[in-house]
């Protein structure tokens, strides 16, 4: 294409696409890396001494070396002690090429960088009271010239020199030296004995406090644990420390993985593009993923801290000791580690609840990604900007692929396979094929067809039908699989899909006997089977089925698929009450709710009033039975009462009708609130609002159910209930209950609620204005208000002292909170929300391209709306595309969206 066809100014070239098929081993490797950082206010001088040698695996001996580098001022460069002149090297696009390089040599470069001006938050930058780094994926090239690719692994020694006003100096590995210098300066030297790629490098220099603990490994070694934070946050670290110790013990017990350094450190940083980073021995965290105490953090926040701490710690083996050869293999470390942290969280709390949470996220966000312009396999074939591929597909779908492997192989074989993988590839940069091969070699399973999950994008569809032969007492399930076209491939080969099933009779689970099954197919649980779907269509026959059953399908969400079976309402009620699989009990409740919402949506589209909408008695009774079932986990009751979200309803739609979805769901919720008011009030009033806060599964479940009932009751607009809600806001002893009450007041259109919402919001800010993470919650609750006029409030909040347009957490709270999580208002006002989002992206394009590209997601879905909205959304995408100096991050997402 020409520049004109790309909608680019004629003088600009489209960013280069990088392909997996073009991978080649590096010409040179780096044995050791010695870094010295002289940090001054306004400028940092970086000296890098690299011991390089030709890669024996390269196709032919290299005679020159190309290093990556971006936004660097080169002071000097020396090869084997000789200072090079301009004729000895050439600058390229984010690179420098050194000519006439020998087989082995020492290269010393000195560069200057300006961390204080680094708004991209990649490389070395300043955040509040500290200097810190973020090098994944390609941030290290903003620090010094280097082979910034994951398959170049080196042993690092790092010296950090600063003024003493930054007393804490940290880097990877173990501290080997420290001391004082002249002019009130000091230094610390760290050595990491384990080879690592540059993306795992970390440095921190700041005025920080820490809490300290120890952990004794399974072999008896004592490891020092430290969490560094700003002094004001020292009282918010205990939960993260407990989570870290639990993670270390769990990884030893479940995977046999022991920590390897003398010290493990976490640093909390307020300005951070991501959640956290697994740098070897020195994890750098977004403050939102490490700081927690009941007064400032919700239950969801506590759970997030536990999960993220575990995730980054587990990376020590699945990502650090064994890393990925190239960025196309990103899911090798991320998908595997998400699976590991999910299993850890399930073991720490309720396994069923955790599964429901994970699947809810997958179905709303990842399925939508699979259906959009950025759809890609978990191992993509190409990219323009790798930062755009830190996606739900790579992480969450990648984890589901690992889960399927664990399901197919069984617990024992899967553990043998992971042991072999870690032992075989320790200290190496490897591929997804290496991981699967280790599982095959350890288990004897043939996973050839299964590997299609790594190369084919999209969400497979299963069409399931059944038949029952009463005379033969045989029950047959026929499953057809298909997968819609995605950008990389129109016609998909059949996937290898584990379909876990059970059969439910009038008394509950029925025993299963699969006709013509292999002997080793039988398991200790004879009411549960994993069917291996490998063909476009297969029929599975069960013998000795003495009554016509209702099938419990894809139990535990055994595969990341959509499926359809023609359940009746009675079937769903039976599954809701009798299925032993907790996930499928929840799934049945969701399907019942979905049917009710779809009926209300049709009525809205036909112009009917939903003011006094009624739902079927069977639905009401099903929910009433759930409320009265004391045997159920309270958290599961809360989830079963929570209707399918607007995001999930949108993902299911061929054409998204924003108003019908919003109004239909609201009408069903209100109808249930009216019908179930006595039961809802009983649960709410039975809760002791003054009980001591605890971060236990039972306590979290109780709060969850209580606040779900509050949400229903507030729909009734009753002044007495509104006052109860306001009382909860005023008297609650924890942020979970405070935010639940505040959210209900803000979103109620009752006059009294709006009056109390205004005063409560003012009170909340006055109380918490000095707690940045709490202020983020204050911004979010306003940004996600479903009442009219929210966009104007969001714009006003951009000028409020609480908002910082350079802080990713603030941007996510306010801008993404409105644009990504408030569809009824984002899509209102004749496209005003679309223009607002485009304005933010254009501003952030040069300031922080990574955040800008992530904000684009709502506009990328423009083809799923009606023609009027399509036109308005597309116009904003074209407006962004016409911007000069468009970053690679934003260009890739916009160009693919417009294709």
């Amino acid at each position: 294409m020409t520049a004109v066809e790309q909608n680019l100014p004629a003088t600009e070239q489209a960013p280069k696409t990088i392909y997996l098929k073009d991978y080649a081993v590096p010409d040179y490797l780096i044995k050791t890396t010695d870094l010295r950082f002289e940090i001054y206010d306004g400028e940092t001088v970086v000296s890098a001494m690299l011991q390089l040698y030709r890669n024996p695996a390269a196709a032919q001996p290299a005679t020159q070396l190309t290093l990556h580098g971006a936004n660097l001022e080169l002071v000097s460069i020396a090869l084997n002690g000789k200072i090079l002149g301009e004729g000895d090297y050439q600058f390229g696009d984010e690179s420098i090429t050194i000519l006439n390089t020998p087989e082995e040599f020492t290269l010393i470069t000195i560069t200057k960088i300006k961390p204080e001006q680094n708004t991209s938050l990649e490389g070395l930058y300043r955040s509040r009271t500290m200097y810190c780094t973020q090098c994944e994926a390609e941030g290290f090239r903003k620090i010094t010239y280097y082979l910034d690719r994951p398959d170049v692994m080196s042993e690092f020694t790092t010296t950090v020199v600063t003024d003493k006003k930054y007393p804490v100096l940290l880097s990877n590995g173990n501290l080997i030296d420290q001391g004082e210098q002249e002019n009130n300066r000091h230094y610390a030297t760290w050595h990491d004995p384990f080879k690592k790629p540059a993306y795992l490098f970390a440095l921190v220099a700041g005025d920080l406090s820490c809490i300290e603990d120890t952990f004794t490994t399974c072999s008896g070694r004592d490891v020092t644990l430290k969490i560094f934070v700003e002094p004001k946050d020292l009282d918010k670290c205990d939960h993260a420390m407990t989570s870290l110790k639990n993670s270390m013990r769990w990884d030893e017990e479940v995977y046999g993985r022991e920590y390897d350094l003398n010290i493990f450190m976490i640093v909390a940083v307020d300005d951070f593009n991501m959640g956290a980073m697994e740098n070897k021995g020195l994890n750098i965290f977004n403050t939102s993923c490490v700081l927690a105490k009941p007064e400032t953090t919700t239950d969801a926040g506590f759970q997030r801290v536990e999960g993220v701490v575990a995730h980054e710690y587990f990376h020590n083996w699945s990502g650090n000791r064994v890393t990925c050869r190239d960025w196309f293999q990103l899911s090798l470390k991320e998908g595997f580690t998400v699976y590991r942290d999910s299993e850890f969280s399930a073991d720490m709390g309720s396994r069923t609840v955790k599964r429901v949470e994970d699947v809810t996220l997958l179905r709303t966000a990842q399925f939508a990604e699979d259906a959009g312009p950025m759809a890609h396999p978990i191992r993509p074939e190409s990219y323009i900007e790798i930062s755009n591929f830190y996606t739900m597909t790579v992480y969450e779908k990648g984890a589901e692929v690992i889960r399927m492997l664990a399901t197919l192989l069984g617990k024992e074989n899967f553990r043998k396979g992971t042991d072999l993988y870690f032992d075989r590839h320790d200290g190496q940069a490897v591929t997804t094929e290496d991981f699967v091969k280790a599982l095959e070699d350890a288990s004897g399973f043939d996973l050839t067809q299964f590997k299609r999950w790594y190369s084919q994008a999209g969400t497979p569809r299963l069409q399931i039908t059944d038949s029952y032969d009463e005379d033969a007492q045989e029950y047959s399930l026929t499953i057809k699989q298909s997968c819609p076209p995605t950008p990389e491939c129109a016609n998909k080969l059949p996937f290898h899909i584990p379909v876990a099933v059970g059969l439910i009779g009038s008394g509950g689970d029925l025993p299963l006997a699969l006709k013509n099954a292999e002997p080793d197919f039988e398991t200790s649980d004879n009411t549960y089977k994993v069917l291996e779907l490998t063909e476009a269509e297969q029929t599975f026959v069960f013998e000795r089925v003495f009554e016509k059953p209702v099938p419990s399908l894809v139990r535990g969400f055994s595969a990341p698929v959509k499926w359809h079976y023609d359940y009746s309402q009675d079937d769903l009620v039976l599954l809701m009450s009798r299925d032993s699989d907790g996930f499928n009990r929840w799934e049945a409740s969701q399907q019942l709710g979905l049917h009710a919402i779809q009926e209300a949506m049709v009525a809205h589209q036909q112009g009917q009033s939903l003011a006094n909408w009624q739902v079927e008695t069977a639905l009401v009774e099903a929910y009433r039975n759930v409320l009265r079932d004391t045997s159920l986990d309270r958290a599961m009751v809360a989830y079963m009462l929570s209707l399918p979200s607007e995001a999930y309803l949108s993902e299911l739609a061929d054409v998204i009708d924003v108003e019908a979805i919003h109004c239909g769901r609201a009408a069903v919720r209100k109808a249930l609130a009216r019908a179930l008011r006595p039961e809802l009030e009983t649960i709410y009033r039975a809760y002791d609002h003054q009980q001591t806060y605890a971060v236990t599964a039972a306590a979290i479940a109780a709060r969850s159910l209580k606040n779900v009932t509050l949400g229903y009751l507030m729909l009734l607009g009753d002044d007495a209930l509104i006052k109860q809600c306001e009382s909860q806001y005023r008297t609650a002893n924890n942020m979970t209950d405070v935010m639940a009450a505040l959210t209900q007041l803000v979103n109620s259109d009752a006059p009294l609620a709006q009056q109390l919402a205004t005063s409560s919001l003012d009170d909340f800010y006055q109380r918490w204005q000095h707690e940045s993470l709490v202020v983020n919650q204050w911004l979010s609750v306003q940004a996600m208000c479903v009442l009219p006029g929210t966009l104007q409030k969001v714009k006003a909040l951009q000028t409020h002292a609480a908002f910082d347009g350079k802080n990713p957490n603030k941007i996510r709270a306010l801008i993404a909170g409105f644009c990504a999580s408030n569809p009824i208002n984002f899509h209102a006002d004749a496209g005003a929300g679309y223009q607002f989002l485009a304005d933010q992206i254009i501003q952030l394009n040069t300031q922080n391209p990574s955040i800008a590209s992530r904000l684009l997601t709502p506009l990328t879905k423009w083809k799923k709306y009606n023609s009027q909205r399509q036109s308005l959304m597309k116009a904003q995408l074209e407006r962004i595309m016409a911007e000069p100096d468009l970053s690679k991050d934003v260009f890739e997402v916009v160009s693919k969206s417009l294709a």
Side-chain angles (χ1 to χ4, degrees):
M1 287 187 178
T2 66
V4 173
E5 290 172 319
Q6 288 274 16
N7 292 316
L8 288 167
T11 57
E12 295 186 15
Q13 296 293 320
K16 180 183 177 182
T17 300
I18 298 171
Y19 295 94
L20 172 60
K21 63 181 175 61
D22 293 335
Y23 171 81
V25 300
D27 290 330
Y28 278 89
L29 297 173
I30 305 174
K31 182 178 181 181
T32 61
T33 299
D34 288 87
L35 301 171
R36 183 179 181 88
F37 290 79
E38 293 275 359
I39 299 176
Y40 301 92
D41 290 342
E43 182 177 86
T44 293
V45 179
V46 183
S47 301
M49 182 169 68
L50 313 180
Q51 299 289 342
L52 294 117
Y53 62 98
R54 283 181 185 148
N55 185 357
Q60 56 187 17
T63 58
Q64 59 185 33
L65 169 69
T66 297
L67 300 174
H68 304 100
N71 305 325
L72 304 174
E73 178 187 341
L74 180 63
V75 177
S76 67
I77 185 166
L79 193 156
N80 286 338
K82 176 188 174 184
I83 299 294
L84 301 183
E86 291 185 1
D88 297 318
Y89 56 84
Q90 298 173 346
F91 287 106
D93 181 21
E94 295 194 357
S95 69
I96 186 172
T97 298
I98 297 135
L99 308 175
N100 302 316
T101 49
E103 184 173 347
E104 294 186 28
F105 59 99
T106 299
L107 188 74
I108 299 176
T109 60
I110 300 176
T111 57
K112 289 183 180 180
I113 54 177
K114 299 184 183 300
E116 293 82 358
Q117 299 176 22
N118 183 359
T119 61
S120 71
L121 310 187
E122 296 174 337
L124 178 65
Y125 64 94
R126 177 72 180 258
S127 174
R128 293 166 62 94
T129 63
M130 74 184 85
Y131 291 89
C132 60
T133 57
Q134 169 52 33
C135 294
E136 186 175 359
E138 295 175 340
F140 193 80
R141 63 190 59 185
K142 294 184 178 182
I143 293 174
T144 188
Y145 288 106
Y146 203 78
L147 285 170
D148 188 9
R149 46 188 289 172
D151 57 352
V152 175
M153 303 175 72
S154 176
E155 185 178 323
F156 278 69
T157 302
T158 304
T159 299
V160 187
V161 186
T162 70
D163 190 284
K164 288 182 181 178
K165 66 183 177 181
Y166 307 110
V168 174
L169 308 178
L170 309 174
S171 192
N172 309 89
N174 299 314
L175 181 65
I176 60 172
D177 191 19
Q178 59 184 329
E180 297 186 358
Q181 293 186 336
E182 296 179 352
N183 302 319
N184 201 39
R185 291 174 70 76
H186 68 140
Y187 73 92
T189 300
W190 295 78
H191 173 243
D192 185 356
F194 295 95
K195 293 192 305 178
K196 65 174 178 286
Y199 84 85
L200 291 173
F201 173 80
L203 176 154
V204 170
D207 184 7
L208 303 169
S209 298
C210 81
I211 66 167
E212 183 173 335
D213 205 335
T214 59
F215 178 83
T216 303
T217 69
C218 56
S219 67
R221 289 189 309 105
D222 287 333
V223 178
T224 299
L225 310 177
K226 291 186 176 184
I227 299 178
F228 291 87
V229 296
E230 293 183 21
K232 68 181 179 64
D233 293 322
L234 207 56
D235 62 339
K236 306 182 186 77
C237 300
D238 290 346
H239 180 64
M241 184 63 81
T242 299
S243 300
L244 174 58
K245 294 173 74 173
N246 288 339
S247 303
M248 296 176 81
R249 180 65 64 209
W250 186 90
D251 210 21
E252 288 182 345
E253 293 173 351
V254 178
Y255 282 88
R257 298 298 110 190
E258 181 178 347
Y259 187 62
D260 46 17
L261 290 169
N262 300 330
I263 187 169
F264 185 90
M265 299 174 287
I266 290 174
V267 179
V269 177
D270 196 49
D271 299 283
F272 204 69
N273 283 341
M274 298 185 284
M277 181 58 208
E278 70 268 19
N279 319 296
K280 182 70 177 180
L282 177 57
N283 286 191
I284 298 180
F285 274 53
N286 190 312
T287 49
S288 65
C289 296
V290 69
L291 304 180
K293 70 175 184 178
E295 296 82 0
T296 60
T297 312
T298 63
D299 289 341
F302 271 95
Q303 291 172 319
R304 186 181 187 215
V305 168
E306 180 182 65
V308 175
V309 167
H311 180 94
E312 305 308 332
Y313 174 74
F314 296 154
H315 265 313
N316 188 59
W317 278 93
S318 52
N320 295 3
R321 289 284 289 264
V322 184
T323 195
C324 46
R325 184 196 72 179
D326 53 72
W327 290 120
F328 298 100
Q329 319 296 329
L330 181 59
S331 194
L332 176 73
K333 73 181 185 78
E334 295 300 349
F336 187 19
T337 306
V338 169
Y339 171 72
R340 276 155 48 76
D341 81 56
S342 177
E343 286 294 289
F344 165 77
S345 295
D347 285 344
M348 294 297 106
S350 165
R351 180 162 290 274
T352 298
V353 168
K354 176 59 177 169
R355 194 68 188 126
V356 167
E357 292 170 348
D358 289 347
V359 173
T360 298
L361 177 64
L362 188 85
R363 281 176 161 174
T364 54
Q366 195 282 317
F367 280 11
E369 196 167 88
D370 262 350
M374 291 295 289
H376 59 276
I378 67 169
R379 187 195 61 200
E381 296 296 320
S382 67
Y383 63 80
I384 293 175
E385 171 51 57
I386 185 55
S387 294
N388 287 330
F389 284 83
Y390 283 73
T391 60
M392 297 295 297
T393 299
V394 164
Y395 280 68
E396 271 64 33
K397 186 174 181 178
E400 294 299 317
V401 169
I402 302 297
R403 185 177 297 276
M404 287 189 289
L405 285 167
T407 299
L408 289 168
L409 270 61
K411 184 177 181 179
E412 183 178 344
N413 278 323
F414 184 72
R415 170 62 190 272
K416 288 179 181 178
T418 59
D419 283 350
L420 179 59
Y421 169 69
F422 289 129
D423 294 342
R424 179 183 284 176
H425 299 295
D426 189 7
Q428 298 178 11
V430 299
T431 66
T432 55
E433 286 86 357
D434 293 319
F435 178 76
V436 175
K437 184 67 164 58
L439 297 183
E440 286 183 319
D441 290 349
S443 67
F445 277 68
D446 181 358
L447 297 170
T448 302
Q449 182 178 350
F450 185 86
K451 287 189 287 188
R452 291 173 186 167
W453 284 100
Y454 286 93
S455 58
Q456 294 186 155
T459 305
R461 270 68 163 169
L462 306 184
Q463 183 70 35
I464 305 175
T465 56
D466 64 352
S467 63
Y468 178 62
D469 186 331
E470 186 174 7
D471 294 333
Q473 294 186 336
E474 290 185 346
Y475 176 75
S476 301
L477 274 177
T478 297
I479 309 176
K480 298 179 181 179
Q481 65 163 298
S482 61
C483 188
T486 51
E488 98 294 348
C489 179
N491 299 310
K492 309 299 174 77
L493 296 171
F495 289 86
H496 185 175
I497 305 174
V499 182
V501 300
L503 301 179
I504 312 301
S506 55
D509 286 350
L510 299 174
L512 303 182
L514 189 65
K515 193 173 184 178
N516 300 323
E518 297 291 333
D520 63 354
F521 187 89
E522 301 297 331
T523 66
S524 58
D525 180 2
N526 70 346
T527 65
Y528 171 92
K529 296 291 183 188
V530 176
L531 308 178
E532 294 192 42
L533 181 65
T534 57
E535 301 172 13
E537 179 177 345
Q538 282 174 257
T539 297
F540 303 89
V541 180
F542 295 90
E543 304 175 301
R544 302 187 296 280
V545 182
F546 302 120
E547 62 177 303
K548 187 178 188 305
V550 174
S552 174
L553 301 167
V554 197
R555 281 186 149 187
F557 201 72
S558 60
V561 299
K562 294 181 179 181
W563 72 91
H564 176 77
Y565 172 85
D566 193 16
Y567 284 116
S568 68
Q569 190 174 69
D570 288 343
D571 290 339
L572 293 172
V573 170
L574 177 66
L575 291 174
M576 233 177 125
S577 60
R578 297 285 187 176
D579 199 335
S580 64
D581 185 82
F583 175 84
N584 274 12
R585 290 187 75 168
W586 169 80
E587 174 67 10
S589 74
Q590 294 294 285
Q591 293 302 311
L592 280 171
L594 177 63
H595 294 164
I597 293 170
Q598 288 172 334
E599 289 180 357
M601 287 172 58
V602 171
H604 177 273
Q605 291 165 337
Q606 293 175 346
Q608 299 180 40
S609 171
L610 299 181
N612 295 297
W613 185 254
Q614 301 293 317
V615 295
E616 292 186 23
T617 303
L619 178 65
V620 173
E621 289 306 311
Y623 278 71
R624 179 173 284 122
N625 289 336
V626 167
L627 285 168
R628 292 176 175 175
D629 189 344
T630 58
S631 69
L632 288 174
D633 178 348
R634 299 290 88 184
M636 276 309 299
V637 175
Y639 274 109
M640 291 172 81
L641 288 174
S642 301
L643 295 172
S645 66
E646 291 184 31
Y648 180 56
L649 293 162
S650 296
E651 201 283 320
L652 292 177
D654 292 326
V655 177
I656 300 172
D657 187 331
V658 179
E659 290 76 17
I661 288 172
H662 178 76
C663 295
R665 185 177 184 274
V668 172
R669 290 189 73 231
K670 195 167 186 177
L672 288 171
R674 287 194 299 265
L676 298 170
R677 179 169 181 168
E679 289 81 5
L680 294 168
E681 287 188 321
T682 297
I683 290 174
Y684 184 77
R685 290 171 180 164
Y687 182 84
D688 180 4
H689 291 271
Q690 296 306 311
Q691 64 183 298
T692 302
Y693 181 86
V695 196
T696 62
I700 291 173
R703 282 189 292 273
S704 177
L705 178 57
K706 180 261 301 192
N707 287 321
V708 166
T709 63
L710 175 64
Y712 273 105
L713 292 169
M714 280 292 287
L715 295 172
L716 301 177
D718 184 297
D719 280 359
L721 294 173
I722 292 170
K723 290 176 181 177
Q724 266 191 330
C725 182
E726 195 264 350
S727 175
Q728 176 175 317
Y729 167 78
R730 296 283 177 185
T731 63
N733 63 5
N734 63 86
M735 187 55 70
T736 301
D737 288 345
V738 168
M739 284 304 301
L742 184 61
T743 299
Q744 296 306 324
L745 291 171
V746 167
N747 284 281
S748 172
D749 59 2
L752 177 60
Q754 280 302 290
Q755 177 186 335
L756 294 174
T758 300
S759 60
S760 297
L761 285 168
D762 290 343
D763 171 78
F764 189 97
Y765 182 72
Q766 291 303 316
R767 190 187 310 181
W768 298 110
Q769 60 183 300
H770 301 299
E771 291 282 356
S772 180
L773 295 180
V774 183
V775 170
N776 294 346
Q777 298 177 64
W778 181 78
L779 292 170
S780 290
V781 74
Q782 296 176 83
M784 290 189 280
C785 173
V786 298
L787 302 181
T790 298
L791 176 56
Q792 288 67 38
K793 293 178 182 177
V794 169
K795 289 180 177 179
L797 285 168
Q798 285 184 289
T799 64
H800 194 283
F803 183 73
D804 177 359
K806 293 183 179 180
N807 180 275
N809 286 345
K810 296 288 187 286
I811 294 168
R812 282 186 280 260
L814 186 65
I815 310 304
F818 175 77
C819 298
S821 300
N822 193 346
I824 192 63
N825 279 308
F826 175 65
H827 293 283
D829 302 324
Y834 312 152
Q835 181 177 345
F836 170 75
L837 178 54
D839 289 343
Q840 310 311 309
I841 291 164
I842 289 170
Q843 178 179 335
L844 286 165
N845 171 62
T846 53
Q847 175 183 308
N848 190 327
S850 177
I851 295 298
S853 69
R854 290 175 186 275
L855 283 178
L856 266 163
T857 300
L859 289 177
T860 67
K861 302 173 184 177
W862 64 277
K863 293 180 181 178
K864 287 202 70 173
Y865 295 88
N866 62 32
S867 58
Q868 181 183 9
R869 283 186 169 131
Q870 281 190 16
S871 177
L872 293 169
M873 296 171 83
K874 184 181 180 184
Q876 294 305 320
L877 287 169
E878 291 172 337
R879 177 179 157 227
I880 295 168
M881 185 61 112
E883 278 292 305
D885 302 319
L886 206 60
S887 66
K888 291 190 297 182
D889 311 60
V890 174
F891 171 84
E892 180 169 28
V893 177
V894 176
S895 61
K896 288 182 176 180
S897 298
L898 289 171

